[in-house]
Amino acid sequence: MDERWIEVNGRRHALPADPARTAIDFLREDLRLTGTKVGCGQGDCGSCTIVVDGEPRYACVTPVAQLDGRRVTTVEGLPAASPCGARLQQALLAHQAVQCGFCTPGMLMAASAAIDAGEVRDRASACAAIDGVLCRCTGYRKIVDAVLEVGTGAPARALTPPPRAGEGIAVGRPLTRLDGVEKVDGSQQFGADGIPPDSLYLRAVRSPHPHARFVLGDLDAYVRAHPGLHRVLTHADVPGRNVHGIAPAYADQPVLPAGEVRHHLEAIALIAGEREAVAALDLSAFPVEWEPLPAVFSIEDAARAGAPLLHPQRAGNLLVEGRVLRGDAAAAIRDAAHVVTGRFSSSFVEHAYLEPEAGWARRVGDTIEVHSPTQAPHPHREDLARVLGVAEERVRVVPTAVGGGFGGKLDMTVQPLLAIAAWHLDRPVAIVFTREESMASSTKRHPARIVSTMAADSDGRLRAVEFDGDYNTGAFASWGTAVANRVPVHAGGPYRLAHYAARARAIHTHITPAGAFRGFGVPQTTMSQEQLIDELALKAGWDPLEFRAVNALRPGDTLPTGQLLDDSVGLIECLDALRPRWAEARSRAAERNAAAPAHLLHLRHGVGMAAFFYGCGNTGTPNPSTVRIGLRPDGTLVLHQGAVDAGQGSNTVIPQIAADALGVPIGRLHIVGPDTHLTPDCGRTSASRQTFVTGRAAFLAGTALRRRIRGLLDAPEDAPVVFGPGWVGVGRPGAVLDASIAMNATTGTTIDEDHEVIARLSLRELPLDAHGYALCAEERFDPPTRSLDITGQGRPYATYAFGAQMAEVEVDLETGRVRVRRVVAAHDVGRRVNPTLLEGQIEGAVAQGVGLALMEQYLPGRNNNLHDYLIPTVHDVPEVETLFVEAPTPIGPYGAKGIGEPALVPTAAAILNAIHHATGARVREAPATPEVVLRALAAAGRSFPRQDAR
């Protein structure tokens, strides 16, 4: 009988004995080709795309039997197998088309197959080439640009390498990602990629009920009855405190509950065993008895008298209430010339990062070492130490690459399960969530129920805002406290307000916890408030942009919290940048509507806008980052920066800042990334704080090291510092320090006499510190804030991002379908550290904003997959134009502020305002699905007769 084989990347392998095994399992487990990713396991996301005899296939649903005698290419073999492979990889890097990188292998394989087949001829076919692969980070546009370039043979866009000798500074340069190569060649290690081959695997037993008591049966007998199982772990096996949470004072989430579950698919036990044995289990036979209990799902039911309490100490299921008060809002509204009021609602929204939670852990001596995708390594270490009942030094958290986060990987998910298993078992342990587990157990965007009133004088000046918002925080606290405190600060929008009363409450229900999701409640709040601003403008007879401009915050204004704003307020400049595009777009929409032929009268065009401000960092609480830069005896400069890069670019931006602060080419830096044993605490990757806070710490560390070197050599402040092999020196006072000095000194070539090194210090003669450095600087930056008092007065944030976005939409009055055609985004970023990375953040945020506005609605227990839960595809994203305003903040690194969350805040609101402009109907419910839009049209008397009725 002939041998049955599969050729993978040019090498033949015997066909596995079990022909029903999936291709993804064979590639990842047998061949250790982990570049092909598992995002859903159901053929919905495309992350697992491979090429089989020239055709793209989903490896997660392809049995190996279908690959018998066929040639398979994965991302690892792409450059050799595909004529366009190497160039396509370079094009993705050059266009900054890579963010977290999890979908990148799938994108590369799908695009290369189409390009090699000659199918990419224009932008539409470039989109079609990748329409089977989802991306949650980039907004697709830069990916399409790269595919189009390669597919049509257009001139290659050049990479932007680090500055070389004499080329000047790094800040402001569109530097290609320093970690980009490993993202496009498949070598980047995510949570499921580095699992040791000898690991035991963990599988969670989960509740079928949203609220129930349970009793476990004979677990030892269960283990004995299933060969390959080693142990079942329960709450009794948690060696320390069986609870974790974002803030210790509010920690309420058990690692494994003792006898009661509070949401559907909450884990109650952990089965450990050999991989095949664990995977084969039928958990319906697990020994547990359930007693279902009454559950509450809505804010209204949870807050009513007599409702079951999720946490006995929280009366009325109220987690926390935040307030900001100023003046007399009620009286000002009574006396105002123009008043508008509205009720708004939004739904749960799933993060839908492409990488499901996964990781592994092991015991190393007396230390538990946890490898996982996390946005918060040091906070996780603190929490894990409490769970294990040990000192923090006995826990090491090593972040893997993060395949998308957006706030959803701030909370612990797999980490405590891995830690307690590694504590009890004598082998490495691993866990990989299915997509259903990921969606059922990870946090969501808070649904909001909002009642708000705004008032203006007859001259168009805002007088007052009254805001009341309730946010469904689900079963556990998570980030509900942050949402309830951030929302009241922002509910007035970026406008001057003398009278203000805002309240926000976080309410518990028996639903998957709601947590941090790119904006901490502000995007859904902005959807209500910016619609009211539009209504008020129209009622007062103002153009919506001009109404915003006349009321916009300016430097020197005071917020309702009593905080005086500094000079870093670029809102007026953002509105000015939008003004000509606003006028053109409104005119274009009017012309299209007026000129529509009879058969297209049901398609109406509209333009809307929304402005915003957003506090960078935590709300009125300590928010520090610490960065270390060390100089080894051989002259190597080492940057220790613990900011997790979840795709936003901190692996590139922080080194850009550090290099300029030191005065060296960025290539001179050896970078040590996040690892709680190797890098100081840079805080969570959240709240748009890493560029601002960690970037400032990097700037301070670089500046401090230069200052120390000058001090050791008794050199003046203007003397350039030079780093050489085994020595450090200074140049002539007043000489211009540029990259050529450091580069020439390092390579040993002759230094121009204009840059003469006048003093040197031998590094090998200096004593080494505890980290092994001859010279070192470690600096901490904590933004100056002041906690809010009982009326919300204080300084909640040290600086704010400002901006405005404009959306052009097309609304089908027959079907209710809305298409976003174009978005123009004007953002005050303080200072552009890396312009193309900023563009990528805005384009990705716009795509998420489209989802928030029009399609994304997580229904607990009903759509825990990427087939029923819809996120934007490449065909749903609009054209995006980005306009940057630079209003530097004096305390930011080179003036920089955050962009990750601010870029999303106004998008959905602008889209909803555009729907109103197109139709005259106001949509007060998000997402604005076709059904919701049709209801709004009917309520406004704008229903259009359907085609079959005419």
Side-chain angles (χ1 to χ4, degrees):
M1 183 176 179
D2 293 336
E3 180 187 2
R4 303 175 70 189
W5 53 267
I6 305 171
E7 183 181 296
V8 180
N9 298 334
R11 296 184 61 185
R12 286 195 176 187
H13 302 271
L15 191 75
D18 180 3
R21 285 183 66 195
T22 60
I24 192 70
D25 187 61
F26 171 63
L27 292 170
R28 290 180 60 88
E29 298 303 323
D30 292 16
L31 305 187
R32 304 300 289 179
L33 293 173
T34 58
T36 305
K37 307 304 179 189
V38 184
C40 66
Q42 299 172 320
D44 295 322
C45 74
S47 296
C48 65
T49 301
I50 56 176
V51 175
V52 180
D53 289 341
E55 296 291 330
R57 297 282 292 273
Y58 291 153
C60 73
V61 293
T62 300
V64 291
Q66 294 182 9
L67 303 181
D68 185 12
R70 306 186 73 177
R71 289 167 175 80
V72 175
T73 303
T74 71
V75 67
E76 290 91 345
L78 180 62
S82 167
C84 75
R87 186 181 171 191
L88 186 57
Q89 289 173 324
Q90 288 296 100
L92 287 182
L93 293 177
H95 285 271
Q96 297 280 35
V98 176
Q99 289 191 24
C100 84
F102 193 84
C103 75
T104 302
M107 289 288 183
L108 283 164
M109 303 315 296
S112 65
I115 293 170
D116 290 344
E119 296 172 355
V120 176
R121 300 169 300 277
D122 51 25
R123 193 167 191 88
S125 56
C127 290
I130 62 168
D131 65 3
V133 186
L134 295 176
C135 176
R136 193 57 159 168
C137 296
T138 67
Y140 300 99
R141 295 193 57 79
K142 294 187 185 301
I143 299 174
V144 175
D145 291 342
V147 173
L148 182 62
E149 176 197 288
V150 177
T152 60
R157 180 170 180 168
L159 300 174
T160 304
R164 296 175 298 175
E167 287 188 346
I169 62 176
V171 169
R173 187 182 179 94
L175 184 65
T176 301
R177 285 179 179 269
L178 299 181
D179 58 358
V181 171
E182 63 197 50
K183 295 175 186 284
V184 299
D185 69 11
S187 64
Q188 181 167 253
Q189 297 280 291
F190 293 91
D193 294 338
I195 295 172
D198 63 336
S199 295
L200 295 174
Y201 274 73
L202 309 176
R203 186 171 173 188
V205 180
R206 298 182 179 275
S207 168
H209 308 287
H211 188 206
R213 280 189 283 266
F214 66 92
V215 177
L216 297 172
D218 189 340
L219 302 181
D220 291 337
Y222 181 79
V223 171
R224 290 193 299 270
H226 294 83
L229 297 193
H230 286 234
R231 184 164 178 170
V232 175
L233 299 164
T234 71
H235 73 278
D237 297 299
V238 178
R241 188 180 180 209
N242 186 27
V243 69
H244 61 91
I246 297 302
Y250 292 93
D252 56 4
Q253 185 165 358
V255 177
L256 294 167
E260 180 181 346
V261 293
R262 295 181 177 88
H263 70 84
H264 181 239
L265 295 187
E266 183 179 356
I268 63 163
L270 201 59
I271 302 172
E274 306 300 329
R275 179 175 179 271
E276 295 78 8
V278 170
L281 287 174
D282 177 4
L283 294 185
S284 65
F286 186 81
V288 59
E289 294 184 4
W290 296 100
E291 178 192 350
L293 298 171
V296 290
F297 304 107
S298 70
I299 292 170
E300 294 79 9
D301 287 344
R304 65 176 168 77
L309 295 181
L310 280 89
H311 305 278
Q313 72 276 23
R314 295 173 187 163
N317 286 311
L318 174 65
L319 169 63
V320 71
E321 177 179 315
R323 292 189 299 170
V324 174
L325 305 175
R326 184 187 195 187
D328 189 339
I333 290 170
R334 284 195 303 270
D335 297 338
H338 306 289
V339 178
V340 295
T341 298
R343 292 179 176 270
F344 303 85
S345 65
S346 67
S347 67
F348 283 104
V349 180
E350 160 66 16
H351 292 90
Y353 30 73
L354 271 293
E355 178 202 23
E357 294 79 356
W360 59 279
R362 64 186 175 187
R363 182 185 286 273
V364 180
D366 66 350
T367 298
I368 297 296
E369 190 177 278
V370 179
H371 298 248
S372 70
T374 169
Q375 295 177 241
H378 278 83
H380 281 190
R381 182 179 73 161
E382 295 168 10
D383 234 357
L384 290 173
R386 285 188 283 267
V387 167
L388 296 175
V390 300
E392 289 180 24
E393 293 72 22
R394 292 185 57 191
V395 177
R396 180 180 185 181
V397 173
V398 184
T400 62
V402 179
F406 321 113
K409 290 174 181 172
L410 289 168
D411 294 73
M412 293 205 298
T413 51
V414 298
Q415 293 84 5
L417 305 179
L418 290 167
I420 64 168
W423 179 269
H424 289 288
L425 300 167
D426 59 0
R427 281 167 56 183
V429 294
I431 191 168
V432 180
F433 278 4
T434 64
R435 176 56 58 178
E436 181 186 28
E437 286 181 296
S438 173
M439 293 180 71
S441 61
S442 64
T443 60
K444 306 289 175 277
R445 184 180 295 283
H446 286 74
R449 298 292 181 270
I450 292 168
V451 179
S452 186
T453 299
M454 290 187 177
D457 287 337
S458 57
D459 62 356
R461 305 284 177 173
L462 275 172
R463 281 185 58 83
V465 168
E466 277 189 340
F467 173 91
D468 191 75
D470 287 336
Y471 296 77
N472 189 334
T473 204
F476 303 113
S478 182
W479 288 89
T481 54
V483 167
N485 284 292
R486 183 176 283 264
V487 164
V489 176
H490 292 83
Y495 309 110
R496 295 168 167 170
L497 281 167
H499 303 281
Y500 185 70
R503 183 196 71 148
R505 302 189 306 163
I507 306 292
H508 284 296
T509 59
H510 289 104
I511 296 176
T512 304
F517 189 170
R518 210 169 189 175
F520 292 97
V522 178
Q524 52 269 51
T525 301
T526 302
M527 283 194 291
S528 72
Q529 301 305 84
E530 282 295 299
Q531 287 203 76
L532 287 181
I533 286 288
D534 251 34
E535 288 189 51
L536 197 54
L538 296 173
K539 190 170 186 179
W542 283 74
D543 172 88
L545 186 148
E546 301 306 332
F547 184 79
R548 288 173 169 85
V550 77
N551 287 291
L553 289 167
R554 292 164 169 79
D557 283 341
T558 302
L559 297 177
T561 60
Q563 180 177 353
L564 180 68
L565 294 176
D566 60 19
D567 292 337
S568 183
V569 183
L571 179 56
I572 288 294
E573 291 85 348
C574 290
L575 294 171
D576 287 344
L578 282 182
R579 186 173 281 107
R581 292 161 177 82
W582 171 255
E584 293 165 5
R586 301 276 277 199
S587 176
R588 185 163 52 244
E591 291 172 3
R592 286 175 175 169
N593 291 334
H599 69 286
L600 294 179
L601 286 176
H602 62 289
L603 298 179
R604 308 301 294 172
H605 299 268
V607 187
M609 76 169 344
F612 78 96
F613 79 131
Y614 191 82
C616 297
N618 297 343
T619 308
T621 58
N623 193 24
S625 281
T626 303
V627 168
R628 179 189 307 134
I629 303 177
L631 189 57
R632 291 175 180 162
D634 65 359
T636 302
L637 277 164
V638 183
L639 168 65
H640 295 257
Q641 77 87 15
V644 170
D645 192 327
Q648 84 281 12
S650 60
N651 284 347
T652 302
V653 169
I654 304 304
Q656 285 182 266
I657 294 167
D660 280 6
L662 276 166
V664 300
I666 196 170
R668 281 293 318 275
L669 295 176
H670 174 75
I671 301 166
V672 177
D675 181 327
T676 57
H677 269 37
L678 301 177
T679 50
D681 187 359
C682 284
R684 298 176 172 95
T685 292
S686 68
S688 299
R689 60 174 298 280
Q690 290 296 15
T691 295
F692 170 50
V693 182
T694 301
R696 180 66 179 180
F699 170 82
L700 293 173
T703 303
L705 185 56
R706 290 177 77 180
R707 185 181 301 117
R708 185 178 177 194
I709 291 167
R710 289 186 181 118
L712 288 171
L713 292 170
D714 198 25
E717 281 295 309
D718 60 348
V721 175
V722 186
F723 298 89
W727 58 269
V728 66
V730 292
R732 289 187 302 103
V736 177
L737 174 60
D738 64 18
S740 64
I741 304 172
M743 187 64 70
N744 289 338
T746 301
T747 58
T749 58
T750 302
I751 298 174
D752 187 285
E753 61 182 21
D754 290 338
H755 296 134
E756 180 183 359
V757 176
I758 60 171
R760 293 192 187 194
L761 180 65
S762 173
L763 297 172
R764 293 184 175 91
E765 297 176 2
L766 298 177
L768 302 184
D769 68 10
H771 303 290
Y773 294 120
L775 292 172
C776 185
E778 183 170 301
E779 292 291 325
R780 180 179 187 268
F781 175 65
D782 189 1
T785 62
R786 189 172 73 254
S787 61
L788 301 178
D789 64 20
I790 194 170
T791 63
Q793 300 302 292
R795 186 182 185 185
Y797 311 100
T799 194
Y800 296 82
F802 293 85
Q805 291 184 8
M806 178 191 86
E808 298 181 53
V809 305
E810 177 186 272
V811 183
D812 188 327
L813 301 182
E814 285 188 335
T815 66
R817 185 181 184 187
V818 179
R819 295 297 303 270
V820 184
R821 297 299 187 184
R822 184 167 181 259
V823 169
V824 183
H827 287 268
D828 163 22
V829 297
R831 172 76 186 278
R832 290 180 292 176
V833 176
N834 189 310
T836 51
L837 291 183
L838 284 168
E839 285 178 1
Q841 284 294 288
I842 290 172
E843 290 171 5
V846 166
Q848 289 191 356
V850 170
L852 175 63
L854 301 180
M855 66 181 69
E856 295 194 42
Q857 186 172 32
Y858 176 74
L859 304 171
R862 291 170 55 187
N863 57 351
N864 288 323
N865 59 73
L866 292 177
H867 178 77
D868 298 315
Y869 184 85
L870 302 180
I871 69 172
T873 72
V874 68
H875 300 298
D876 297 307
V877 295
E879 173 191 347
V880 180
E881 180 184 2
T882 300
L883 308 172
F884 289 119
V885 167
E886 293 184 313
T889 177
I891 59 173
Y894 300 101
K897 300 188 280 195
I899 191 62
E901 291 167 301
L904 173 67
V905 169
T907 309
I911 292 169
L912 296 179
N913 278 333
I915 293 172
H916 177 265
H917 181 241
T919 66
R922 183 63 68 185
V923 177
R924 302 184 187 275
E925 177 183 351
T929 60
E931 295 79 9
V932 169
V933 172
L934 289 175
R935 287 202 301 268
L937 291 170
R942 297 283 292 158
S943 296
F944 196 85
R946 298 184 65 85
Q947 188 70 36
D948 56 10
R950 294 203 301 270

